[in-house]
Structures are given as C-alpha cells and as structure tokens.
Amino acid sequence: MGTGWARVRVRIRVEGIVQGVGFRPHVHSLARRLELSGWVGNDDHGVFIEAEGVPGDVARFQEELRDQAPPLAAIHRMTASAIPARGDRGFRIAASRGGDQRVTLISPDVATCDDCLAELFDPADRRYRHPFVNCTNCGPRFTIIRDVPYDRPATTMATFAMCGECEREYLNPADRRFHAQPICCPACGPVLRLLDGGVHHGGVHHGGVSRGDSPYVQGSDGDPIVAAAEVLRAGGILAVKGLGGYHLAVDAADEEATRTLRSRKRREDRPFAVMVPDLRAAHALCELDAEGERLLTGPWRPIVLLPRRPGAAPAGAVAPGDRTLGLMLPYTPIHHLLATEFTRPYVLTSGNLSDEPIAHRDGDALVRLAGIADAFLTHDRPIHIRADDSVVLVARGRALPLRRSRGYAPEPLRLSPPARRPVLACGAELKSTFCLARQGYAFVSHHIGDLENYETLRSFTEGIEHLGRLLGITPGLVAHDLHPEYLSTKYALDLDSVDLTGVQHHHAHIASCLADNAESGPVIGVAFDGLGYGTDGTIWGGEILVADLVDFTRAGRLAPVPMPGGTAAIRQPWRMAAAHLKAAYGAALPEDLPVRSRQGTRWEEVLAVAEAGTNSPLTSSAGRLFDAVAAILGLRDTAGYEGQAAIALEQRADPTESDAYPVRILDEGALLTIQVADLIRAVTEETRAGVVPTLVSARFHNGLAAVTAAACARVRESTGIGTVALSGGVFQNRLLLDGLAGALGLGGFRVLTHRAVPPNDGGISFGQAAVAAARDALGLL
C-alpha cells in the first residue's frame, strides 16, 4: 500500500475469553507486523484496541484479529468504530483499566502445552524440571484468579516477584510469555516440597521410605519428585497438590495400597480414576477410539470413562466389578514429572473423605488429609478456588460430560433468548452446580458436590460470591428447584431484593438439553433420573414431558410405586425391589425369591410400611426402577453411592443381546402410564427360570428403551412434535442412551442429547437459567 494513502484509526472492542490467553501479545505482534500504531489493553469488558495505519492494513488487521486468534482465545463479540487519526507512531500495551461494569470472561485452567513440555525435559533449558512451567498458551487460570482484570496482582502469583530473566520475557512482545501472568522459573517461582505425613501412620507401609526426624521426605537425590515416586513404589499414599485441589495417589497395581486408600478415605466401592503417563499406557488398559484420544490429549484433560481391556493391569480394588476405567493423562508439570519417575499408572482421586469437598487450601488439606496421606507433594502457590477433575463419557461417537469442572468451567455457554436481567440459578442438591447468566451468556460453575453438609454449602455460597464478583453479575432474578428441603432452594428463598422463579426439576433437565443444543422447543422430553419433586407432591423421575423453555405439561410417566423408607430406599435398593414386586404380583408374590429371603423379617416390615404410606412417597423414578431390578438379580442389595446398583445392572448387561421384554402403555386420560410391572415380572420369571443375569439385564434395558420410544410416538400422534430431548442422570447409562436414541431414530424422530453440560443434576442450573431467561423475556416474571 503506497505511503500517499491517508491514515485511518479505529477503536476496537473485543469481548469473550481474551484475557490470560495471550491475546494482547497476539494483537501487539499483528499490529507491529502491519506497521500500525496505537495500543491494546485489558479492562473489565475484555480487550480495548486503537489501531492506526493505511486503510488496507487496518482492514487486514481487523480480519486477522478475528480469524487468527490465539488457541485458547474465544472471541464472542468484536465491534469497531472510526475515530480521528492521531499521527502517533509505535504500538504498545497499555495499562489495564478497572471499572464498575465487569463483563470479562475467564479462561478455564489449561493443560501444559507442548512448548512448555519441551522446556521441562530439556537439560539445557533454564526451566528444566521446573514444576511450574507455563506460558500464555497453558497453565493455571480460573483457580488462581482473585479479581479482574486478569493481571498478575489479581492472581495468587502476586507474592512471587519476577526475576530479571522472567521480567525480560514478560515484557518482550516476541516471547510467548509476553504478559503471561503466572510466569516464573526456579529462581523466582513457587517451591515444591514433599512433607512427611508418616507421623500419622508410623511411616509408609510395606517397608518403604525412611524419614527420620525431618518433616521433609528426602529422595535419593534430594528431589521431591524423586522422593514422591519412592513413596508410591513403597506402597504409600501420596497427597498431590494439583490445579484445583489436592489428590490422593497410590500405585494402581498395588492391591494392598489401593485397599488401604479406600479404607482411610472411607470410599468402599466407587471407582478410582487412574492417571497414565501417555497414550500408549492408556491403550494398554482400555479400548480407545479417536474421540477418546482427542479428549485424553486435549487441553481440557478430563477423566475419560473407557471400556476396560480384559486382564488390564490395575488392582481389582481400583474399580471393583467395573468394566470401565476412568483414565486421564498428566495435565500439570508436576504430573508430567511424576510420570517420568513413577512410570506405571497410578490412582489419582480427589483429596477428601467421601462426601466432603476436595481440599484445596494447604492448612486445611494438611489437617483433613492427615489421617489418609503418608506424604504430601505440595507447594506454596495458593489455589484460590477449588475445581474437581471433569469427567466425560464417549457416547454416540462424541463426548458426553458427566462432571463439568476443571478445564471447562467457567467457559461461558450461549443463552437464547438472552437474559433480560442478571440471573442466578441455584441448581439442585446432588452434583450441585450454580449458574450465573448475563445477556446471551450463561456461566455454569465448577462442580460443587452434594449439598448435604456445611462444608459443601459454604463452597456453594463462596463460589457464587467469587464468580459473581469476577463476572460483575449481581442477580436480579433467581431460579430454584421446587423441592422445599434442598439447601439450594433454601438459599434462594433467603435472598433479599431479588425476584424468584421456581423451576420443576424435570422441566429444568429438559430445558438444559434444549439450551445445550441452542433450541427452544417445543419437544417431547424424556427425563429419567433418581428423583425430583413433582408438581403433584409425589417424587418424579420417569417422565415424558411436552416442554419448551417456558413451561411444560406431563404427558407420560413410569407407573408409580411407594418408596419405602424414603431416602433409605436409595441406600438399600432391595426396598425398591420389594415395592415393585408387590405392585407387580400383589398377593401372588412368590415366596422363593432370593431377594426376599435375604432380608428375612425386614421384608414384610418394609412392605407394611409401604402399604401404610408411612415415609413412603409415591415415585415414578426410573433410577429406583433400575435399583429394584439390580436387587432382584442379586447384584446389589445396598448402595454405597448414588446410582451404584444401576451401574452394576448396566455393567452386567450383554450389549449384543437384542431381545426385549414387552411392556404395555396405559392411556389414563391425558397421561400415558408405562406399566413397569411388566418389566418386573419378566425379570423375575426369567431369573427364576435360570436365565443368566447378563441376558436378563440386557432384555430389561432393551424393553425400557422400546416402550419409551413407543410412548414418545403416542405423544407425537397427539401433538405433532417430532423432536425428543433426553436428559436426567439415567442417561449416563450408555446402553440405555444408545438403545433409546436408536429406537427413536428408527421411528423418525430427531433426537437431542447433551453436549456441553451433564445430563445429570450437574446440568440442572443451566436449565433453570434458560427457563428464567425465557420467562423473563416474555414478561412472565
């Protein structure tokens, strides 16, 4: 472009995930290459830019700015306006600006990039084996941010003064660490230590590491990573400080160490996740397809649930009786270093006692994990906000999130219609998340846990305050579940100066699936889960709804039965077996059923309680139906965690079996009722006839899928709706999900399933936010 062209100047505003991801260095480099003048900076809205040059170069700058953004950036909105040229020269990074109207979007934490890994293992590099190597393309983000704009003083790195070399990199526009806020090196960064936990257990078991009187564990060369690997090899339990909290690690091949971890952690049955050093090790343990590899190696690094290879190496206590394993690859330099010293797979599970939040503050971790860990691999970079590992399942050829947390949260999700005023959605009780929404964005929180104790409730309330402050969202409208005893509902009802809207649990499930697919309905919604408070005062959980984002009608259900003992039936699936068998057989209930004889006199006592209606609410729950069948088959009479019996039932099913038990649908006025008694009788009679559980379970799954598809077809006849949305925790069951989606597809339906948020209660808050925004847009609130 000739020099005779008049110079033009534009003011550009970029909104999205554009802080902490190398966006300003990218802008600076692009402007310098095109010989533009001006500046770029961060503020509470995102990134502001002024760029001046000849018209063609300014136009090219705007095109490349959008099309060639850094890998971790996500531009959601970019606007530009012409302003008078200033005639200045040079392009600079301006000081960050603060304000009162924050709309900055926060990047999730990101796994260590290849460039940093190359430095980590290069003996000639000054960051060789530095456990905190990072750059603008990777490393901690959400878990270290205290405030915005995202600059070093607003993070937990504020107390670590940069050395001269790091400062030169930080200020050099040509360096990939230009304005990388967590930048550090061995001379100026956090310090990794291995603290001795042996005073609580008398040292590591099975021989192992001698610690003497020092509070620090000494490795063979004084390196805490080397010493930590020695703890694992000696059969010890190692607490490891990760990005979002502490983990507990043991050698995955050591049966005794794994059982010791279960005992100390008070986690009897729930499977442990396993960290493997690389894809080769992952392939040795599990069957991997392209999507599984993509998830394991991507920047999110979730736990991926994968089919286990027969005879795979981990100890039986890692995932008792489970045909799947939860695998993950290293995602921090500490994990990578540990994988080079301890080259075998190791269990990596949350650092807590069962039902408690993951420990993330050092003092709290040392106290709470003192009775569990033999040693602590820790450091002095604080974690500001806890974030558990995310969990995904590969289903129907793509990722199905089961827990959306580290690596994903708080990346925004699109919300349509946009929120007319700021929204807080408080979620449910199990697998709790909350959701903050502003305009067209919804921010689903990290995984909180089950809101059943003070510690988890405090994590919930602190998380709302923290994320609301970061995002500048002060809710004017609050959505909540209808269940009056949920702590999340009570929290909402106690808020002042807000408008409230209650959202029925299963409507929120379907709305979550709709919003997850950028749709508004109406759809036929199949909501199968453990339980949710129904509008008729009973416990729902096997629902067919006609729903959009605003409202719903109940079109069908599973036939309800009593839930003997209320929540006791969740922990003791045999109670649901008793209720379903009584409903199916009445007075003709066979005497010779093993599930009946195993309970002795308690069986008749529980049936009497159910018949009297004492603490025995009616429930249409699909989850409790799975529990009943698992107990009838002798798989689980008790459950150590939510869904354990249903998981055992799915694990036992033969996926090659195609037969299905026939089930009737009764038309009770405007409500279709699926006669699950037909399924219960079929399961019972075939079991009595000696049919193996693998076939019985498969035929049960197939029968439930077939009758649900048939019920949806009946609803289509009366409504003309040809789209079905599937949501609820039962659709974590891949066999049922595949079977029902396949049957619906053959029936000519378009099928919506979850993409970005879980089908379980972790996605409820997103659905509540979508409902609240849609109702508010129509002026219904």
Side-chain angles (χ1 to χ4, degrees), residues 614-737:
T614 305
N615 192 24
S616 299
L618 287 176
T619 182
S620 56
S621 169
R624 303 288 79 83
L625 171 63
F626 274 77
D627 287 353
V629 174
I632 293 170
L633 291 180
L635 303 180
R636 298 290 319 183
D637 282 345
T638 61
Y641 58 90
E642 165 69 16
Q644 184 180 12
I647 291 169
L649 187 63
E650 180 192 5
Q651 293 286 330
R652 189 60 65 93
D654 180 352
T656 66
E657 173 63 19
S658 58
D659 285 353
Y661 296 136
V663 188
R664 294 168 295 155
I665 302 173
L666 298 186
D667 193 343
E668 299 179 343
L671 190 65
L672 300 176
T673 298
I674 294 172
Q675 293 299 96
V676 293
D678 295 343
L679 285 169
I680 294 294
R681 283 191 293 268
V683 166
T684 303
E685 295 307 320
E686 289 221 312
T687 300
R688 296 178 74 198
V691 179
V692 293
T694 54
L695 296 180
V696 175
S697 176
R699 291 167 186 171
F700 164 77
H701 279 81
N702 296 343
L704 183 58
V707 72
T708 305
C712 290
R714 295 269 288 271
V715 176
R716 179 174 57 186
E717 291 173 4
S718 60
T719 64
I721 298 172
T723 300
V724 177
L726 306 180
S727 191
V730 171
F731 288 114
Q732 296 174 131
N733 182 317
R734 186 164 54 183
L735 185 60
L736 181 67
L737 178 63

Side-chain angles (χ1 to χ4, degrees), residues 57-86:
D57 289 341
V58 172
R60 183 178 173 189
F61 172 79
Q62 293 179 75
E63 291 175 3
E64 294 191 16
L65 192 62
R66 179 181 292 278
D67 297 340
Q68 299 178 18
L72 301 182
I75 296 176
H76 294 165
R77 186 167 180 259
M78 192 172 94
T79 59
S81 59
I83 58 175
R86 297 165 56 100

